[in-house]
Amino acid sequence: MKIRKTEHGLTVDAADLGHLLGIPAAEVPAKMRAGEITSQSETGVDADEGRIRLTFWYNGQRLRLVCDTEGNVLTTSRVPARRNPPRDIGG
């Protein structure tokens, strides 16, 4: 599995993501548009320089992919977790 970089960000193939989340690939795009699958990406700093972490939340689980800058997946993990709602940090 490899993550692709595009001008819009990072892309994970729906077949790969569906497999890792335990759902059919055909359902992935609609679930993302509906907000049932949410995601976050982070770029490594200091000891994690040269790595990218992609995190997906779906149906009470968190899927995390750690990749190098070329998009090669180095590690994957899936654990039960709920995404915390965004916090309002404004004044």
Side-chain angles (χ1 to χ4, degrees):
M1 179 168 72
K2 190 165 182 167
I3 307 306
R4 293 184 311 276
K5 291 182 187 179
T6 70
E7 65 270 10
H8 303 290
L10 303 167
T11 303
V12 179
D13 187 90
D16 292 330
L17 187 56
H19 173 75
L20 292 169
L21 291 174
I23 59 174
E27 294 181 16
V28 170
K31 288 185 181 296
M32 290 191 89
R33 283 190 298 273
E36 293 178 48
I37 298 173
T38 59
S39 63
Q40 175 179 336
S41 67
E42 301 166 276
T43 302
V45 295
D46 298 330
D48 293 315
E49 185 84 29
R51 295 182 183 207
I52 300 166
R53 182 167 64 191
L54 301 173
T55 306
F56 297 89
W57 289 270
Y58 171 69
N59 198 29
Q61 58 188 326
R62 182 191 73 207
L63 170 67
R64 184 165 282 163
L65 308 174
V66 176
C67 312
D68 63 19
T69 56
E70 299 301 313
N72 299 301
V73 176
L74 304 173
T75 64
T76 63
S77 66
R78 187 173 81 176
V79 297
R82 294 231 177 257
R83 185 168 191 178
N84 293 329
R87 293 181 296 161
D88 181 8
I89 58 174

